[in-house]
Short mmCIF file of all heavy atoms in Angstrom, two decimals:
data_model
loop_
_atom_site.label_atom_id
_atom_site.label_comp_id
_atom_site.label_asym_id
_atom_site.label_seq_id
_atom_site.Cartn_x
_atom_site.Cartn_y
_atom_site.Cartn_z
N GLN A 98 104.49 111.06 139.14
CA GLN A 98 103.43 110.40 138.43
C GLN A 98 103.66 110.50 136.92
O GLN A 98 104.07 111.54 136.40
CB GLN A 98 102.08 111.07 138.76
CG GLN A 98 101.67 110.94 140.21
CD GLN A 98 102.35 111.96 141.09
OE1 GLN A 98 102.78 112.99 140.64
NE2 GLN A 98 102.52 111.63 142.36
N VAL A 100 101.92 109.74 133.02
CA VAL A 100 100.69 109.53 132.25
C VAL A 100 101.07 109.04 130.87
O VAL A 100 101.90 109.67 130.21
CB VAL A 100 99.89 110.83 132.18
CG1 VAL A 100 98.64 110.64 131.34
CG2 VAL A 100 99.54 111.34 133.57
N TYR A 129 93.04 113.54 140.90
CA TYR A 129 92.04 113.85 139.88
C TYR A 129 92.61 113.51 138.53
O TYR A 129 93.81 113.61 138.27
CB TYR A 129 91.70 115.35 139.91
CG TYR A 129 91.16 115.82 141.23
CD1 TYR A 129 92.00 116.37 142.20
CD2 TYR A 129 89.80 115.76 141.52
CE1 TYR A 129 91.51 116.81 143.39
CE2 TYR A 129 89.29 116.21 142.71
CZ TYR A 129 90.15 116.74 143.66
OH TYR A 129 89.66 117.19 144.86
N LEU A 130 91.73 113.13 137.63
CA LEU A 130 92.11 112.84 136.26
C LEU A 130 91.26 113.70 135.32
O LEU A 130 90.08 113.97 135.61
CB LEU A 130 91.91 111.36 135.94
CG LEU A 130 92.78 110.39 136.75
CD1 LEU A 130 92.25 108.99 136.60
CD2 LEU A 130 94.22 110.48 136.26
N PHE A 131 91.88 114.10 134.24
CA PHE A 131 91.24 115.04 133.30
C PHE A 131 91.48 114.56 131.87
O PHE A 131 92.51 113.97 131.55
CB PHE A 131 91.78 116.44 133.44
CG PHE A 131 91.72 117.02 134.82
CD1 PHE A 131 92.70 116.72 135.76
CD2 PHE A 131 90.70 117.89 135.18
CE1 PHE A 131 92.67 117.26 137.03
CE2 PHE A 131 90.64 118.42 136.46
CZ PHE A 131 91.64 118.11 137.39
N TRP A 132 90.54 114.92 131.00
CA TRP A 132 90.79 114.93 129.56
C TRP A 132 90.64 116.36 129.07
O TRP A 132 89.63 117.00 129.35
CB TRP A 132 89.81 114.01 128.84
CG TRP A 132 90.17 112.57 128.89
CD1 TRP A 132 89.71 111.61 129.75
CD2 TRP A 132 91.14 111.91 128.04
NE1 TRP A 132 90.29 110.42 129.48
CE2 TRP A 132 91.16 110.57 128.45
CE3 TRP A 132 91.92 112.32 126.97
CZ2 TRP A 132 91.98 109.63 127.82
CZ3 TRP A 132 92.72 111.39 126.36
CH2 TRP A 132 92.75 110.04 126.78
N TYR A 133 91.68 116.80 128.34
CA TYR A 133 91.66 118.12 127.73
C TYR A 133 91.68 117.97 126.21
O TYR A 133 92.31 117.06 125.67
CB TYR A 133 92.88 118.95 128.14
CG TYR A 133 92.72 119.69 129.46
CD1 TYR A 133 93.01 119.05 130.67
CD2 TYR A 133 92.28 120.99 129.50
CE1 TYR A 133 92.85 119.71 131.88
CE2 TYR A 133 92.13 121.66 130.74
CZ TYR A 133 92.44 121.00 131.89
OH TYR A 133 92.29 121.67 133.10
N MET A 141 93.59 125.11 125.19
CA MET A 141 93.28 123.91 125.94
C MET A 141 91.90 124.04 126.57
O MET A 141 91.61 124.99 127.28
CB MET A 141 94.28 123.70 127.08
CG MET A 141 95.58 123.11 126.66
SD MET A 141 95.42 121.34 126.46
CE MET A 141 97.14 120.86 126.43
N LEU A 143 88.91 122.01 128.80
CA LEU A 143 88.60 120.88 129.65
C LEU A 143 87.38 120.13 129.08
O LEU A 143 86.34 120.73 128.83
CB LEU A 143 88.28 121.33 131.08
CG LEU A 143 87.88 120.26 132.05
CD1 LEU A 143 89.00 119.25 132.27
CD2 LEU A 143 87.47 120.86 133.37
N ARG A 146 86.25 115.61 133.83
CA ARG A 146 87.04 115.46 135.03
C ARG A 146 86.52 114.30 135.86
O ARG A 146 85.33 114.09 135.97
CB ARG A 146 86.98 116.75 135.86
CG ARG A 146 87.66 116.67 137.20
CD ARG A 146 87.60 117.97 137.96
NE ARG A 146 86.26 118.38 138.28
CZ ARG A 146 85.77 119.60 138.05
NH1 ARG A 146 86.54 120.52 137.46
NH2 ARG A 146 84.57 119.91 138.39
N CYS A 188 95.37 113.46 128.20
CA CYS A 188 94.97 112.92 129.50
C CYS A 188 95.92 113.60 130.53
O CYS A 188 97.13 113.78 130.25
CB CYS A 188 95.19 111.43 129.48
SG CYS A 188 94.80 110.57 131.01
N ALA A 189 95.38 113.96 131.66
CA ALA A 189 96.18 114.67 132.64
C ALA A 189 95.85 114.17 134.06
O ALA A 189 94.72 113.82 134.36
CB ALA A 189 96.01 116.16 132.56
N TYR A 190 96.86 114.22 134.91
CA TYR A 190 96.76 113.80 136.31
C TYR A 190 97.08 114.95 137.21
O TYR A 190 97.94 115.79 136.90
CB TYR A 190 97.82 112.66 136.54
CG TYR A 190 97.94 112.21 137.97
CD1 TYR A 190 97.36 111.02 138.39
CD2 TYR A 190 98.66 112.94 138.91
CE1 TYR A 190 97.50 110.56 139.70
CE2 TYR A 190 98.78 112.49 140.22
CZ TYR A 190 98.23 111.31 140.60
OH TYR A 190 98.35 110.87 141.92
N ARG A 191 96.35 115.03 138.33
CA ARG A 191 96.65 116.08 139.29
C ARG A 191 96.50 115.50 140.69
O ARG A 191 95.44 114.93 141.05
CB ARG A 191 95.70 117.25 139.11
CG ARG A 191 95.85 118.38 140.14
CD ARG A 191 94.92 119.50 139.84
NE ARG A 191 94.88 120.47 140.91
CZ ARG A 191 94.13 120.39 141.98
NH1 ARG A 191 93.29 119.39 142.12
NH2 ARG A 191 94.17 121.33 142.91
N SER A 192 97.54 115.66 141.45
CA SER A 192 97.51 115.18 142.82
C SER A 192 96.50 115.96 143.64
O SER A 192 96.20 117.13 143.38
CB SER A 192 98.90 115.33 143.45
OG SER A 192 98.88 114.96 144.80
N GLY A 199 96.36 123.23 145.49
CA GLY A 199 96.43 122.28 144.41
C GLY A 199 97.71 122.28 143.63
O GLY A 199 98.50 123.17 143.71
N TYR A 200 97.89 121.22 142.89
CA TYR A 200 99.10 121.00 142.09
C TYR A 200 98.85 121.27 140.64
O TYR A 200 97.71 121.32 140.17
CB TYR A 200 99.58 119.56 142.26
CG TYR A 200 100.06 119.21 143.64
CD1 TYR A 200 99.18 118.74 144.61
CD2 TYR A 200 101.40 119.32 143.96
CE1 TYR A 200 99.63 118.43 145.87
CE2 TYR A 200 101.86 118.99 145.22
CZ TYR A 200 100.96 118.55 146.19
OH TYR A 200 101.41 118.24 147.41
N ALA A 201 99.94 121.38 139.92
CA ALA A 201 99.84 121.53 138.47
C ALA A 201 99.44 120.21 137.82
O ALA A 201 99.43 119.15 138.47
CB ALA A 201 101.18 121.98 137.90
N LEU A 202 99.08 120.26 136.57
CA LEU A 202 98.67 119.07 135.82
C LEU A 202 99.89 118.36 135.24
O LEU A 202 100.86 119.02 134.81
CB LEU A 202 97.73 119.46 134.70
CG LEU A 202 96.40 120.07 135.14
CD1 LEU A 202 95.71 120.73 133.98
CD2 LEU A 202 95.51 118.98 135.74
N ASN A 203 99.82 117.04 135.22
CA ASN A 203 100.85 116.20 134.62
C ASN A 203 100.22 115.56 133.40
O ASN A 203 99.32 114.71 133.55
CB ASN A 203 101.30 115.19 135.64
CG ASN A 203 102.58 114.47 135.23
OD1 ASN A 203 103.04 114.66 134.12
ND2 ASN A 203 103.14 113.72 136.10
N PHE A 204 100.67 115.96 132.22
CA PHE A 204 100.03 115.54 130.97
C PHE A 204 100.69 114.33 130.29
O PHE A 204 101.90 114.12 130.42
CB PHE A 204 100.07 116.69 129.95
CG PHE A 204 99.16 117.84 130.23
CD1 PHE A 204 99.61 118.90 131.02
CD2 PHE A 204 97.89 117.87 129.74
CE1 PHE A 204 98.79 119.98 131.32
CE2 PHE A 204 97.04 118.98 130.00
CZ PHE A 204 97.52 120.01 130.79
N GLY A 205 99.88 113.59 129.56
CA GLY A 205 100.41 112.61 128.63
C GLY A 205 100.86 113.29 127.34
O GLY A 205 100.75 114.51 127.22
N TYR B 58 99.90 129.37 136.43
CA TYR B 58 100.87 128.36 135.95
C TYR B 58 101.44 128.77 134.59
O TYR B 58 100.70 129.28 133.75
CB TYR B 58 100.16 127.01 135.76
CG TYR B 58 99.28 126.53 136.87
CD1 TYR B 58 97.98 127.02 137.02
CD2 TYR B 58 99.73 125.57 137.79
CE1 TYR B 58 97.15 126.59 138.03
CE2 TYR B 58 98.90 125.12 138.78
CZ TYR B 58 97.61 125.60 138.91
OH TYR B 58 96.79 125.18 139.94
N TYR B 60 103.29 126.74 131.51
CA TYR B 60 103.62 125.43 130.96
C TYR B 60 104.41 125.60 129.63
O TYR B 60 104.16 126.56 128.86
CB TYR B 60 102.39 124.59 130.62
CG TYR B 60 101.57 124.13 131.80
CD1 TYR B 60 100.56 124.90 132.33
CD2 TYR B 60 101.80 122.88 132.37
CE1 TYR B 60 99.78 124.46 133.40
CE2 TYR B 60 101.02 122.41 133.44
CZ TYR B 60 100.03 123.22 133.93
OH TYR B 60 99.26 122.76 134.98
N GLY B 67 102.98 116.67 125.49
CA GLY B 67 102.04 117.37 126.33
C GLY B 67 102.71 118.51 127.08
O GLY B 67 103.94 118.55 127.19
N PRO B 68 101.93 119.45 127.56
CA PRO B 68 102.52 120.56 128.32
C PRO B 68 103.23 120.06 129.58
O PRO B 68 102.83 119.08 130.21
CB PRO B 68 101.29 121.39 128.71
CG PRO B 68 100.24 121.01 127.72
CD PRO B 68 100.48 119.58 127.41
N LYS B 69 104.31 120.80 129.90
CA LYS B 69 105.10 120.48 131.09
C LYS B 69 105.21 121.75 131.94
O LYS B 69 105.50 122.83 131.44
CB LYS B 69 106.48 120.02 130.67
CG LYS B 69 107.41 119.64 131.84
CD LYS B 69 108.82 119.40 131.35
CE LYS B 69 109.55 120.72 131.15
NZ LYS B 69 110.99 120.55 130.85
N LEU B 70 104.95 121.62 133.26
CA LEU B 70 104.97 122.77 134.13
C LEU B 70 106.37 123.37 134.20
O LEU B 70 107.36 122.66 134.41
CB LEU B 70 104.53 122.38 135.54
CG LEU B 70 104.56 123.53 136.55
CD1 LEU B 70 103.40 124.51 136.26
CD2 LEU B 70 104.50 123.02 137.97
N LEU B 71 106.44 124.68 134.04
CA LEU B 71 107.66 125.40 134.30
C LEU B 71 107.65 126.04 135.69
O LEU B 71 108.61 125.91 136.45
CB LEU B 71 107.87 126.52 133.27
CG LEU B 71 108.21 126.07 131.84
CD1 LEU B 71 108.26 127.28 130.93
CD2 LEU B 71 109.54 125.32 131.82
N GLN B 73 104.81 127.57 139.02
CA GLN B 73 103.46 127.79 139.55
C GLN B 73 103.54 128.85 140.64
O GLN B 73 104.39 128.80 141.53
CB GLN B 73 102.91 126.48 140.15
CG GLN B 73 101.53 126.63 140.83
CD GLN B 73 101.07 125.33 141.45
OE1 GLN B 73 101.62 124.27 141.20
NE2 GLN B 73 100.01 125.41 142.24
N GLN B 84 111.11 122.65 137.75
CA GLN B 84 111.46 122.28 136.36
C GLN B 84 111.77 123.52 135.52
O GLN B 84 111.86 123.42 134.28
CB GLN B 84 110.28 121.52 135.72
CG GLN B 84 110.02 120.17 136.47
CD GLN B 84 109.00 119.34 135.73
OE1 GLN B 84 109.34 118.64 134.78
NE2 GLN B 84 107.76 119.37 136.17
N ALA B 118 98.10 129.34 132.47
CA ALA B 118 96.81 128.89 132.96
C ALA B 118 96.60 129.50 134.35
O ALA B 118 97.55 129.87 135.05
CB ALA B 118 96.77 127.36 133.05
N ALA B 127 89.84 124.81 142.55
CA ALA B 127 91.24 124.62 142.12
C ALA B 127 91.33 123.47 141.13
O ALA B 127 92.39 123.29 140.52
CB ALA B 127 92.12 124.36 143.34
N ASN B 128 90.30 122.72 140.97
CA ASN B 128 90.37 121.59 140.08
C ASN B 128 90.37 121.98 138.61
O ASN B 128 90.78 121.19 137.77
CB ASN B 128 89.22 120.62 140.35
CG ASN B 128 89.40 119.89 141.63
OD1 ASN B 128 90.51 119.70 142.09
ND2 ASN B 128 88.29 119.50 142.26
N GLU B 129 89.85 123.12 138.30
CA GLU B 129 89.80 123.48 136.88
C GLU B 129 90.76 124.60 136.58
O GLU B 129 90.75 125.65 137.18
CB GLU B 129 88.39 123.91 136.47
CG GLU B 129 88.31 124.28 134.99
CD GLU B 129 86.93 124.17 134.41
OE1 GLU B 129 85.98 123.85 135.18
OE2 GLU B 129 86.77 124.40 133.22
N GLN B 130 91.69 124.30 135.68
CA GLN B 130 92.62 125.28 135.20
C GLN B 130 92.12 125.78 133.84
O GLN B 130 91.78 125.01 132.96
CB GLN B 130 94.04 124.65 135.02
CG GLN B 130 94.63 124.24 136.37
CD GLN B 130 96.04 123.71 136.25
OE1 GLN B 130 96.73 123.99 135.27
NE2 GLN B 130 96.46 122.97 137.26
N TYR B 131 92.18 127.12 133.70
CA TYR B 131 91.74 127.75 132.49
C TYR B 131 93.00 128.20 131.75
O TYR B 131 93.85 128.86 132.34
CB TYR B 131 90.86 128.95 132.80
CG TYR B 131 89.53 128.57 133.44
CD1 TYR B 131 89.45 128.31 134.81
CD2 TYR B 131 88.42 128.44 132.68
CE1 TYR B 131 88.25 127.97 135.40
CE2 TYR B 131 87.18 128.08 133.24
CZ TYR B 131 87.14 127.87 134.61
OH TYR B 131 85.94 127.51 135.18
N PHE B 132 93.07 127.81 130.51
CA PHE B 132 94.29 128.10 129.72
C PHE B 132 94.13 129.26 128.79
O PHE B 132 93.03 129.48 128.23
CB PHE B 132 94.67 126.84 128.88
CG PHE B 132 95.27 125.75 129.69
CD1 PHE B 132 94.49 124.86 130.41
CD2 PHE B 132 96.64 125.58 129.75
CE1 PHE B 132 95.04 123.86 131.17
CE2 PHE B 132 97.23 124.57 130.49
CZ PHE B 132 96.42 123.72 131.22
#
Side-chain angles (χ1 to χ4, degrees):
Chain A
Q98 296 80 25
V100 178
Y129 301 93
L130 296 165
F131 305 83
W132 280 98
Y133 276 86
M141 280 281 195
L143 177 64
R146 173 178 64 228
C188 179
Y190 174 103
R191 177 178 170 273
S192 176
Y200 293 88
L202 296 166
N203 194 351
F204 288 89
Chain B
Y58 313 80
Y60 292 89
K69 181 190 79 172
L70 179 73
L71 289 175
Q73 176 182 348
Q84 298 188 80
N128 289 333
E129 182 156 2
Q130 294 183 19
Y131 295 82
F132 285 81

